Amino acid sequence: IDTLANEVVILTSLRNERRRNALYLHRFSENAVEKSFEPLLKNENRKMATSAQHLVIDENRSIVLGSYTSNPPRRGSSSFDPEGNKSNGFYKVLIDKRDKTPLVAFYDFGDLTNLDNYIRGTIAEQRQRTMRRWFQRKGSANLEYHLVMHNIKKHSGNFLLAGEAFSPDYRTVTTIAYDYYGRPVPRTYSVFDGYRYSHALVVAFNDNGHLLWDNGMEMINIRTFDLSPKLVLHNEDNDLVLAYNHDGKIAWKLIREKKTITNISYANIETKYSKDRVNNEQNSQLIPWYEHYFLATGYQTIINNYLPDQNRRNVFYINKIAFD
């Protein structure tokens, strides 16, 4: 919603029969009458938007931020597919009503200058980034991730775009069947075991659309069937806190633009009894509440052999957390 112009803004993507990709911006009045139709990315052969968000800067300017892929599939992904397409980087489109041509720029993941400082990644990814630095290759699309995107967040007068990288996880199951003569026949198949989160990326743009810095945080051993943002971005004066709730702990990191002020630290979520041991946890969340307070929630299976009547119990917990 553009409150300055009293308009509803809608972004649509299109891929035609010639495999040309486009991104359009529609403006509607409060009475649902279309007022304008603007092409933002038009006739792109290789680059296709995988996410897009619109934000108003002032009465003349607005910006569209999102992720893109340089390897679009031959067929578009279904709206029922929760994974979507892998992304190769971020893009920005700066729109100025006084200028007919939007300002577009693409930023490949491999071109982010601070990536090696907050992402270990696989050996193959590390080798790719090292080769890029040696040969100063630009515009390569070797690095690609499935991303869960956040809403744009304002911080110190800039716009933050964040995404959490994940991959589908499968396990192999082997069973033994017997044929007509009683001979064993092994059968092997894969079983979907949820999504595994690996890390989060955060990039900052100023109101002129310039990419200022990038930073991020590893997200270790998070496995879930629910693809939703797990990371919380909290403004702390000029600094930024990255935090998430997992396995009975709050993992957090303090950054100042591309610098890491505090490395990843962990704080335990207190249980009801001192001898409680969390055996399993599901659907853990960290939810912003007000000011510097948050709610940590989830479902836990707790074992406590010191409680004869409740040595094993399943609970839903909700804790109030403060970042001081």
Side-chain angles (χ1 to χ4, degrees):
I1 305 296
D2 184 347
T3 56
L4 292 178
N6 293 324
E7 295 175 339
V8 178
V9 178
I10 297 177
L11 293 165
T12 59
S13 61
L14 174 67
R15 192 174 197 197
N16 63 19
E17 63 276 3
R18 296 183 180 180
R19 297 175 62 191
R20 295 283 183 175
N21 308 300
L23 181 67
Y24 299 99
L25 185 143
H26 309 256
R27 292 183 179 273
F28 293 85
S29 69
E30 295 177 324
N31 298 322
V33 177
E34 187 172 31
K35 299 174 66 176
S36 65
F37 173 76
E38 307 169 45
L40 302 182
L41 306 176
K42 190 175 181 181
N43 293 329
E44 289 284 348
N45 187 22
R46 296 300 302 167
K47 294 182 175 63
M48 182 179 73
T50 52
S51 70
Q53 296 180 59
H54 176 269
L55 192 69
V56 176
I57 299 175
D58 53 40
E59 60 182 7
N60 291 315
R61 297 180 303 159
S62 61
I63 192 169
V64 174
L65 301 175
S67 56
Y68 76 93
T69 177
S70 294
N71 301 297
R74 291 183 177 272
R75 294 184 179 180
S77 61
S78 168
S79 60
F80 298 102
D81 180 11
E83 298 176 17
N85 297 312
K86 286 187 176 181
S87 300
N88 296 110
F90 298 114
Y91 71 92
K92 67 95 183 283
V93 181
L94 186 64
I95 306 165
D96 195 326
K97 295 179 180 178
R98 300 162 295 187
D99 189 354
K100 294 183 178 180
T101 304
L103 181 61
V104 181
F106 296 91
Y107 306 92
D108 180 66
F109 289 140
D111 293 331
L112 299 179
T113 59
N114 200 34
L115 194 69
D116 288 336
N117 293 330
Y118 55 87
I119 296 178
R120 284 196 299 252
T122 64
I123 295 177
E125 289 175 342
Q126 293 174 3
R127 191 172 299 148
Q128 288 173 5
R129 295 199 292 267
T130 301
M131 295 295 289
R132 289 169 60 86
R133 287 196 301 271
W134 283 355
F135 296 100
Q136 297 182 350
R137 294 166 58 192
K138 298 294 182 182
S140 173
N142 289 331
L143 299 179
E144 58 179 9
Y145 306 110
H146 285 294
L147 291 180
V148 175
M149 298 299 296
H150 287 230
N151 292 327
I152 299 173
K153 181 180 179 65
K154 289 188 177 181
H155 172 68
S156 299
N158 300 318
F159 307 122
L160 301 183
L161 183 66
E164 300 171 31
F166 70 90
S167 59
D169 204 10
Y170 295 87
R171 56 187 171 88
T172 301
V173 176
T174 301
T175 60
I176 300 296
Y178 296 90
D179 62 12
Y180 178 80
Y181 298 101
R183 294 173 298 191
V185 179
R187 295 179 179 176
T188 301
Y189 56 94
S190 296
V191 176
F192 177 62
D193 211 20
Y195 300 102
R196 187 183 296 275
Y197 285 58
S198 58
H199 59 270
L201 298 160
V202 182
V203 291
F205 295 84
N206 63 12
D207 59 3
N208 290 319
H210 297 307
L211 178 64
L212 301 177
W213 52 264
D214 67 280
N215 212 321
M217 179 180 184
E218 285 191 300
M219 305 178 72
I220 302 173
N221 294 328
I222 294 183
R223 185 184 294 173
T224 178
F225 287 91
D226 174 32
L227 282 178
S228 61
K230 310 298 181 186
L231 192 76
V232 168
L233 308 179
H234 172 58
N235 296 331
E236 189 69 26
D237 297 327
N238 294 324
D239 299 333
L240 188 69
V241 177
L242 313 180
Y244 64 89
N245 176 13
H246 176 63
D247 200 22
K249 295 182 172 114
I250 301 295
W252 62 277
K253 176 182 178 181
L254 184 66
I255 65 173
R256 182 176 301 148
E257 296 183 352
K258 66 179 182 180
K259 297 180 180 178
T260 297
I261 306 301
T262 303
N263 289 320
I264 299 178
S265 302
Y266 298 89
N268 290 325
I269 297 176
E270 298 299 328
T271 54
K272 185 174 183 179
Y273 303 107
S274 60
K275 301 295 184 180
D276 283 346
R277 179 169 58 88
V278 178
N279 186 51
N280 184 34
E281 181 165 355
Q282 295 181 352
N283 297 334
S284 53
Q285 297 182 66
L286 188 63
I287 305 170
W289 195 6
Y290 67 95
E291 297 177 355
H292 62 289
Y293 295 103
F294 296 79
L295 295 178
T297 69
Y299 296 87
Q300 292 178 336
T301 299
I302 296 176
I303 296 176
N304 190 335
N305 294 327
Y306 291 86
L307 299 175
D309 297 333
Q310 301 182 37
N311 58 357
R312 183 184 180 92
R313 65 188 194 276
N314 297 314
V315 302
F316 168 77
Y317 72 89
I318 179 168
N319 284 23
K320 181 179 178 181
I321 305 293
F323 281 100
D324 294 325

